[in-house]
Amino acid sequence: MPLVSLDMVSIAYGHQPRLDDVALRIDPLERIAVIGRNGSGKSTLLKIISGEVPPDTGAVWRQPGVRIARLEQDVPLAANLPVFDVVADGHTHRSAEDEQWLREHDVDLVLSRLGLDGSAIVDSLSGGWRRRVLLARALVGQPDLLLLDEPTNHLDLDAIIWLEEWLKRYPGTLLVVSHDRDFLDAVATAVVHIDQRKLRRYSGNYSAFEAERARHLVLAQSHFEKQQRERAPLQSFIDRFRAKATKARQAQSRMKMLAKMEELAPLHVAAPFSFEFREPLRAPNPLL
């Protein structure tokens, strides 16, 4: 039985569609990376899964009693409380018997690994440190389904490596959005790719996805070019002889052949992002 399933889900923001009739099944103990271009709907998908945002159409099913926690990409947290108290809120589901010792032990461990001072007041922290507080709170709760949106943002290398190891041992289900391919290679066992408002699922980590995606693109382009070669003579005959009575039957026959062919669309692969710095007119010496 899945933890969460989406069926024919669509959503748009204003006149900008994000997801269009998508389906997704999330089974227990899966480690899924959600990837796609900026603005493709990755964060929106996580919000739909968590129940924070309802879809415009379609159905979302969640296993009764499933506990879901989501680390947000933005930082809405504000509290005039110590970091320890805010992070410890994630332990509210623990039983009374193990609450006290495990609560303090788990919270202290996560705070130290993320470089957080448990006595610091949350309101006094910068946005990056508040986000670490949100990450710590999500981790110590150990929900059934953990949704992480760019969890490595604002983390140093030691914290990222620790988080990778923590997630490998995590006894629940994980969906993670990240642009850090090394991080995704370390923690993901499946990939959901959002492209042109659709979802496509791949097995394996990010590197496996890239290899499979490349093979898919080459094959799709080959099919498109083959179809174009097959369609060209049919369309040429129709254009030449459709108006001639002696060839009308043959033209109609070729028109029916074209209509039966499912027209393949040309591939639109996102161009790699690049930028450059123009050479300045003057520069101090030394520059740094």
Side-chain angles (χ1 to χ4, degrees):
M1 178 183 296
L3 288 180
V4 179
S5 63
L6 278 61
D7 183 35
M8 301 297 287
V9 163
S10 298
I11 191 170
Y13 291 133
H15 297 293
Q16 296 294 325
R18 285 290 186 268
L19 301 172
D20 183 18
D21 288 342
V22 302
L24 178 64
R25 176 186 171 118
I26 304 170
D27 288 320
L29 304 182
E30 287 196 297
R31 303 284 196 274
I32 302 174
V34 180
I35 65 173
R37 290 189 296 168
N38 288 339
S40 62
K42 302 185 296 295
S43 297
T44 299
L45 177 63
L46 265 58
K47 291 177 182 178
I48 291 174
I49 292 170
S50 68
E52 298 168 60
V53 173
D56 295 333
T57 60
V60 181
W61 182 87
R62 300 175 190 85
Q63 192 177 109
V66 64
R67 293 178 292 107
I68 302 175
R70 183 176 75 88
L71 171 67
E72 304 172 58
Q73 192 171 4
D74 50 2
V75 187
L77 180 65
N80 189 29
L81 293 170
V83 168
F84 184 95
D85 292 349
V86 173
V87 172
D89 283 345
H91 267 262
T92 55
H93 71 278
R94 297 291 183 105
S95 63
E97 307 87 71
D98 65 9
E99 174 69 24
Q100 185 62 36
W101 189 82
L102 284 179
R103 176 177 182 266
E104 294 183 359
H105 177 268
D106 290 354
V107 172
D108 285 338
L109 174 63
V110 172
L111 292 182
S112 66
R113 295 297 188 176
L114 294 179
L116 288 164
D117 179 1
S119 63
I121 301 302
V122 172
D123 280 344
S124 69
L125 301 179
S126 67
W129 286 102
R130 291 190 191 194
R131 200 161 190 282
R132 291 197 187 202
V133 174
L134 288 170
L135 175 59
R137 187 169 67 175
L139 297 182
V140 300
Q142 295 199 355
D144 303 310
L145 176 56
L146 182 58
L147 309 175
L148 299 180
D149 198 344
E150 297 290 356
T152 60
N153 282 3
H154 306 289
L155 296 185
D156 56 31
L157 181 58
D158 287 341
I160 292 174
I161 293 173
W162 172 81
L163 179 61
E164 289 177 0
E165 295 303 317
W166 190 96
L167 291 174
K168 289 177 185 177
R169 300 189 302 270
Y170 171 55
T173 304
L174 171 69
L175 261 73
V176 56
V177 172
S178 178
H179 288 87
D180 185 337
R181 61 172 297 158
D182 292 329
F183 178 76
L184 294 180
D185 270 344
V187 303
T189 58
V191 171
V192 169
H193 182 217
I194 304 179
D195 184 40
Q196 298 184 28
R197 304 187 298 276
K198 298 293 186 182
L199 303 185
R200 184 180 177 92
R201 183 173 178 135
Y202 298 80
S203 298
N205 61 14
Y206 185 84
S207 293
F209 153 76
E210 277 199 326
E212 180 62 25
R213 169 78 169 159
R215 287 192 290 269
H216 168 73
L217 291 175
V218 170
L219 183 61
Q221 182 66 22
S222 175
H223 288 169
F224 173 74
E225 292 172 355
K226 179 182 177 182
Q227 187 185 75
Q228 293 301 103
R229 292 193 297 269
E230 293 172 347
R231 292 175 64 90
L234 296 176
Q235 188 64 55
S236 176
F237 187 95
I238 293 169
D239 294 341
R240 289 177 60 194
F241 300 114
R242 179 165 42 191
K244 291 189 176 182
T246 56
K247 298 287 186 178
R249 180 171 295 180
Q250 294 94 319
Q252 288 291 330
S253 174
R254 285 162 173 78
M255 290 175 67
K256 291 179 180 178
M257 292 173 64
L258 273 181
K260 289 181 180 179
M261 295 174 67
E262 180 182 359
E263 187 171 0
L264 301 176
L267 294 178
H268 296 285
V269 181
F273 177 80
S274 63
F275 66 94
E276 62 181 12
F277 294 104
R278 288 180 290 181
E279 186 174 351
L281 297 177
R282 296 185 303 277
N285 186 15
L287 182 61
L288 295 177

